[in-house]
Amino acid sequence: MILRRFLLVLWSLLALLPAHHALAGDLASWPRQVSYVAIGDSITAGWGTPAIGGARVNGYVSHLHRQMQVRGQATLHNLGVAGLTSSQFLFLLEHWPEASQLLQKADLITLSIGGNDIIWTDHQKPGDVMAMHEALTKYKTNILTILAHFRQLNVDARLFVLEVYNPFAVKDPRHKQLSEWITWVNESIREAAKAYDADVVPVATLFLSHEQEYVNLANNDIHPNASGHKVIAEAISHTLFGSFVPLTVEQNKKPNLLWNGEPRPLSSDLIFENQTIYASLPQIQELHQGGLKRLRSRVGSFLALVNGKRIILPSPVLLKDGSPYLPLRPVIETLGARVFWVPDSLTISVFTKEKP
């Protein structure tokens, strides 16, 4: 009993200390390999966005993962399960060792939970105010327990909790009906977030008066649409990095280039072949503005001389429209830049020593 009391006091004192977050806006402070765990309900799973290649790659989680990949190595574990209430989520956590293991090692955790507590209570007992009050009182206890569990597993991870939003426009009678309940849930989220050092994503404010723009109501669906998911990711990205680079995944998307975090205009298209991004020799010379003094290779070769340094290429030099195309990444890295690859949006992200 004495040991238990001591541990409780120790945990309380630790909760008062400022947390050291692995993720910050400065790229240099990032871990070498960032682990991102997204957990919660259908919003985490990306519902409301169209599936591309069988996956919802434009949900807020995927958008945020791409923001991380632009800046470094990042692994995503999406543990979103559609339809979960907070009580179901807690029960699942108790029997989900894989989730606990991933949460323990996470650098970033995002959570969406609470909307289904309102939806299912209203569905099962429509118009029953006492039943709703009971459900939302239970939610207040649940969200505190959930965040406490996260912090017991991982005290250092950067943790974001999404607010619940009202899917209906202000003039819609259903908006007023839901308003009180959503406010109750969000107050519980803010209280729990303050207690357990989490950031609250102000989804309710972001969506207010933009319901037609950000909610998938056109398809009789109250989930965020592609624009809504993007806005959520943008809010988190601005908190983490101070910026957001739109990288939406589309069918038949062309490769693109980011240079020090900004889209770089190109005089000739990049080519994606052999799982490699290629650029024409004139384009590579243009990108480096004099930094590339000498580059020698030949079509079909896996070797190149870059400023006198011999490098091995991952794929052979191509010939297109009379111009040689070289794998871009190894050439740029040889010239001292850091290069990151965002595969699903075919984006190559370059950070040079020069100021952005």
Side-chain angles (χ1 to χ4, degrees):
M1 179 64 72
I2 295 175
L3 177 59
R4 183 179 179 185
R5 288 178 180 174
F6 171 75
L7 291 173
L8 287 172
V9 171
L10 178 60
W11 173 252
S12 300
L13 291 173
L14 287 172
L16 296 175
L17 295 174
H20 171 70
H21 293 303
L23 296 182
D26 181 9
L27 184 67
S29 67
W30 272 51
R32 291 180 62 86
Q33 176 74 40
V34 174
S35 177
Y36 170 28
V37 175
I39 195 165
D41 54 25
S42 54
I43 296 178
T44 292
W47 281 40
T49 64
I52 297 178
R56 300 185 187 274
V57 290
N58 287 316
Y60 91 85
V61 169
S62 295
H63 270 296
L64 187 57
H65 182 218
R66 288 193 285 274
Q67 298 305 302
M68 301 168 75
Q69 289 178 301
V70 160
R71 297 165 173 86
Q73 299 295 319
T75 302
L76 168 63
H77 305 279
N78 191 327
L79 306 181
V81 178
L84 289 180
T85 66
S86 60
S87 294
Q88 292 167 340
F89 182 74
L90 268 175
F91 178 81
L92 181 60
L93 276 180
E94 293 172 1
H95 303 84
W96 201 0
E98 297 87 355
S100 294
Q101 292 168 8
L102 291 171
L103 288 166
Q104 284 178 331
K105 299 176 182 179
D107 300 294
L108 172 67
I109 302 168
T110 59
L111 169 69
S112 63
I113 199 75
N116 290 314
D117 290 65
I118 297 174
I119 292 170
W120 283 111
T121 302
D122 188 52
H123 174 72
Q124 294 169 348
K125 299 181 179 180
D128 190 332
V129 175
M130 292 301 295
M132 185 63 72
H133 284 189
E134 183 180 343
L136 299 188
T137 299
K138 181 64 175 176
Y139 176 79
K140 183 175 182 177
T141 300
N142 287 346
I143 190 65
L144 283 164
T145 305
I146 290 168
L147 295 196
H149 180 71
F150 285 1
R151 283 304 181 208
Q152 286 167 1
L153 291 172
N154 190 328
V155 76
D156 290 325
R158 193 74 187 267
L159 174 57
F160 287 84
V161 186
L162 275 62
E163 283 186 342
V164 173
Y165 62 92
N166 197 320
F168 303 112
V170 176
K171 294 181 179 179
D172 190 316
R174 293 170 293 183
H175 182 99
K176 185 176 181 181
Q177 178 186 356
L178 288 172
S179 176
E180 178 185 352
W181 305 336
I182 289 171
T183 298
W184 191 334
V185 167
N186 288 338
E187 286 177 353
S188 298
I189 288 173
R190 285 190 288 272
E191 182 179 326
K194 185 177 180 180
Y196 293 103
D197 188 35
D199 292 89
V200 177
V201 187
V203 183
T205 301
L206 293 170
F207 279 32
L208 185 62
S209 300
H210 295 280
E211 294 84 6
Q212 295 292 333
E213 183 182 353
Y214 296 152
V215 182
N216 202 25
L217 292 172
N219 295 316
N220 297 315
D221 177 19
I222 60 173
H223 290 97
N225 59 20
S227 296
H229 275 279
K230 182 178 175 183
V231 164
I232 295 170
E234 187 172 358
I236 301 173
S237 181
H238 274 286
T239 300
L240 284 174
F241 316 118
S243 63
F244 177 82
V245 183
L247 293 175
T248 302
V249 177
E250 303 167 355
Q251 297 281 12
N252 304 316
K253 185 177 179 64
K254 290 184 178 181
N256 62 102
L257 175 67
L258 297 176
W259 200 268
N260 291 319
E262 298 291 336
R264 187 68 176 260
L266 299 172
S267 57
S268 61
D269 288 341
L270 301 178
I271 299 175
F272 184 58
E273 290 285 345
N274 305 319
Q275 298 300 309
T276 303
I277 293 291
Y278 285 85
S280 68
L281 178 56
Q283 181 66 79
I284 293 173
Q285 293 169 328
E286 180 184 323
L287 287 171
H288 285 282
Q289 300 176 348
L292 180 61
K293 303 187 185 324
R294 189 180 183 189
L295 194 158
R296 292 183 59 187
S297 188
R298 60 178 175 78
V299 174
S301 176
F302 282 84
L303 300 175
L305 283 174
V306 180
N307 289 351
K309 183 177 180 180
R310 184 175 180 268
I311 63 171
I312 298 175
L313 304 175
S315 299
V317 178
L318 303 179
L319 182 66
K320 181 186 177 185
D321 300 329
S323 181
Y325 275 71
L326 287 86
L328 183 57
R329 180 170 191 162
V331 175
I332 291 179
E333 288 181 331
T334 301
L335 295 170
R338 288 177 293 172
V339 182
F340 305 109
W341 172 236
V342 187
D344 57 2
S345 66
L346 299 183
T347 300
I348 188 163
S349 176
V350 178
F351 287 88
T352 66
K353 293 180 181 179
E354 66 192 47
K355 293 182 179 180

